[in-house]
Amino acid sequence: MSEMQHSGELKRGLKNRHIQLIALGGAIGTGLFLGSAGVLKSAGPSMILGYAICGFIAFLIMRQLGEMIVEEPVAGSFSHFAHKYWGGFAGFLSGWNCWVLYILVGMSELTAVGKYIHYWWPDVPTWATAAVFFLVVNAINLANVKLFGEAEFWFAMIKVVAIVGMIVLGCWMLFSGSGGEQATVANLWAHGGFFPNGVSGLVMAMAFIMFSFGGLEMLGFTAAEADKPKQVIPKAINQVIYRILIFYVGALVVLLSLSPWDALLASINGAGDAYSGSPFVKIFALIGSDTAAHLLNFVVLTAALSVYNSGTYCNGRMLLGLAEQGDAPRALAKVDKRGVPVRSLLVSAAVTFLAVVVNYVVPQNALELLMSLVVAALVINWAMISYSHLKFRQQMDKDGVRTGFRALWYPMGNYLCLVFVLFILGVMLLIPGIQVSVYAIPVWLLVMWGCYRLKLSSKAQTDKVAGYEAG
């Protein structure tokens, strides 16, 4: 910790408006704007129900995380709680898994940016777009936390205004008749029913729906740099449920009412790639509103950059927290005088650069592969937050501490979340192409266990030498 104090420390430079928009920014990105294309193919209109279910589970987990971070607002978020209330390996695994999760999220968002640029310039290769925006976002994060907060505030503000505008425009088109004869609420059930591929179609889509909510827990990383965290964070978390209802469920109800879902799907698949473009953009192009389509394409582009911006911020803080705990090289605990963990950010950026390579080697399959790996890491993340919270509450109850921002339905809510993530893993095992990400989980856990044992033996050796020298 002494090294931290010599070089600088994190600044509480994030205001209430920054925290509110970061919470929102993490929740609205590629999963909704682009990932919904793959979900539509499997589930049809029943995807609306799927987003509502996953959103509710995400909210329960956010409340569990919120109870812990309001009680102890620290850098490193849930890795700190896993470490303190569950054990050394749990903290080690939680921290590194979270870091890998946001690396993969960053890679997915950079890939999506290339898809959106194709809407205007189809000949620009995805890897080139990824490379340009990789440099821009990392430059923002290397400046200072206030610049990050401002950038994220405006990125997220564009998304919010645009989605509200899209919902209003969509409703006007529906009820004024200007959307044409095909624009009717009956589209939600008239083309093969609400479950056109049966309930199994929705079940098979749940893994990709879950991808959309990976990012909500970013809020946990703002705790160490939030001004008045005990007031700001509960407010931001409680508003998540309304945002999910409006921005996910509300937007999808309007979107799928404007055109038959099968016609929308045919338009997306016309490019020979299930993720060739955003359904939100395609729908307005289909009904002849080109201006709205171009505007929305700009919005979904900024949405992807927003989530990558947030992920870059989180990765720097996660590595910093790991270094402070002794779970990452001590050199990464250095923070400069502006309050920026430069070394942690640069290491994270170097690994994220693989996105450019992946898009160069397998441009067609990059997004689906990255999305499935994100979900595998997210499953571990959510399970560890929920179980760490169980251990945290047991300790609080034992110590007679009544926390200020209590999670919903404890402990049944925790068990429900744990069962849900196991269900998602089961679904992923049934889907060819993404099964590999489930098989990768035990390998990843073994690698982490090996690294943890290595860390312990290295520490024991260092302590032994220090004791010998002192003697």
Side-chain angles (χ1 to χ4, degrees):
M1 202 64 176
S2 57
E3 189 180 346
M4 281 283 298
Q5 287 156 350
H6 285 304
S7 54
E9 56 184 26
L10 295 178
K11 314 284 187 198
R12 290 199 180 273
L14 295 177
K15 304 295 181 194
N16 179 36
R17 65 189 180 92
H18 295 140
I19 303 286
Q20 295 289 336
L21 271 292
I22 287 167
L24 194 51
I28 304 172
T30 295
L32 175 63
F33 288 132
L34 192 60
S36 53
V39 174
L40 179 67
K41 183 177 182 179
S42 175
S46 67
M47 68 192 287
I48 296 165
L49 179 61
Y51 276 94
I53 293 168
C54 282
F56 180 67
I57 296 293
F59 178 62
L60 287 181
I61 288 172
M62 284 295 291
R63 283 294 299 256
Q64 290 158 17
L65 176 60
E67 182 173 356
M68 295 190 287
I69 59 178
V70 167
E71 205 62 27
E72 298 174 39
V74 294
S77 191
F78 32 92
S79 168
H80 163 82
F81 301 109
H83 214 285
K84 185 172 177 180
Y85 297 102
W86 190 353
F89 177 61
F92 183 85
L93 171 63
S94 178
W96 281 108
N97 183 75
C98 183
W99 183 74
V100 166
L101 168 64
Y102 285 117
I103 290 288
L104 290 166
V105 166
M107 290 168 76
S108 304
E109 301 299 335
L110 281 174
T111 303
V113 164
K115 303 275 188 188
Y116 301 142
I117 292 293
H118 280 171
Y119 185 74
W120 295 309
W121 301 290
D123 298 330
V124 176
T126 314
W127 68 265
T129 311
V132 170
F133 287 107
F134 167 82
L135 293 171
V136 171
V137 170
N138 279 288
I140 289 170
N141 275 270
L142 286 165
N144 61 49
V145 69
K146 211 163 187 181
L147 181 60
F148 157 76
E150 282 303 317
E152 191 50 40
F153 177 81
W154 291 108
F155 272 150
M157 184 62 82
I158 290 168
K159 286 191 275 195
V160 174
V161 170
I163 294 186
V164 171
M166 191 217 82
I167 292 171
V168 170
L169 176 62
C171 288
W172 178 75
M173 286 178 145
L174 271 173
F175 300 114
S176 70
S178 62
E181 285 180 16
Q182 85 278 10
T184 165
V185 180
N187 284 327
L188 297 177
W189 60 84
H191 301 270
F194 187 66
F195 294 94
N197 298 319
V199 175
S200 63
L202 173 60
V203 168
M204 298 301 270
M206 289 297 270
F208 290 111
I209 293 174
M210 187 171 164
F211 171 83
S212 304
F213 296 98
L216 280 172
E217 66 282 355
M218 281 181 184
L219 196 62
F221 294 93
T222 65
E225 290 165 281
D227 189 23
K228 301 178 185 168
K230 289 184 187 289
Q231 288 86 44
V232 170
I233 288 171
K235 194 174 175 186
I237 288 174
N238 279 335
Q239 288 177 2
V240 163
I241 193 71
Y242 307 117
R243 287 163 177 167
I244 288 168
L245 286 172
I246 295 168
F247 297 117
Y248 278 81
V249 179
L252 287 170
V253 166
V254 172
L255 178 81
L256 295 175
S257 297
L258 285 172
S259 167
W261 72 274
D262 43 3
L264 175 58
L265 186 63
S267 170
I268 294 167
N269 289 341
D273 175 3
Y275 298 97
S276 64
S278 168
F280 287 80
V281 176
K282 294 277 185 184
I283 194 80
F284 285 101
L286 260 183
I287 57 182
S289 185
D290 282 344
T291 307
H294 283 293
L295 271 173
L296 266 175
N297 198 59
F298 170 73
V299 170
V300 297
L301 173 62
T302 58
L305 290 173
S306 160
V307 177
Y308 176 43
N309 187 37
S310 295
T312 302
Y313 166 85
C314 290
N315 269 337
R317 275 65 187 172
M318 190 77 246
L319 263 190
L320 173 69
L322 285 167
E324 287 177 7
Q325 282 168 199
D327 288 339
R330 195 71 196 156
L332 296 175
K334 195 174 175 65
V335 175
D336 73 6
K337 288 172 185 172
R338 296 164 301 138
V340 179
V342 175
R343 292 179 182 178
S344 296
L345 282 168
L346 289 175
V347 169
S348 303
V351 181
T352 309
F353 189 74
L354 285 170
V356 179
V357 179
V358 170
N359 276 286
Y360 183 76
V361 179
V362 282
Q364 285 283 22
N365 304 338
L367 188 66
E368 191 162 58
L369 173 65
L370 288 167
M371 281 170 67
S372 66
L373 289 170
V374 166
V375 174
L378 186 62
V379 161
I380 299 172
N381 227 23
W382 281 12
M384 294 198 81
I385 292 172
S386 223
Y387 193 72
S388 295
H389 177 261
L390 268 176
K391 305 286 277 184
F392 163 83
R393 271 293 286 273
Q394 285 165 6
Q395 188 62 48
M396 291 296 108
D397 293 346
K398 189 177 166 187
D399 295 344
V401 175
R402 175 154 182 98
T403 53
F405 182 56
R406 294 168 83 76
L408 296 178
W409 300 356
Y410 166 83
M412 288 314 297
N414 300 67
Y415 297 133
L416 174 64
C417 294
L418 291 168
V419 167
F420 181 79
V421 294
L422 283 174
F423 159 72
I424 293 292
L425 280 181
V427 169
M428 289 171 75
L429 276 172
L430 299 173
I431 305 173
I434 70 167
Q435 290 163 331
V436 64
S437 56
V438 183
Y439 299 140
I441 291 176
V443 176
W444 168 239
L445 295 178
L446 278 171
V447 168
M448 282 288 95
W449 176 249
C451 292
Y452 180 67
R453 297 307 304 173
L454 202 65
K455 178 207 132 179
L456 289 185
S457 62
S458 170
K459 186 177 184 300
Q461 192 66 29
T462 308
D463 292 348
K464 190 176 175 183
V465 170
Y468 176 74
E469 287 173 353

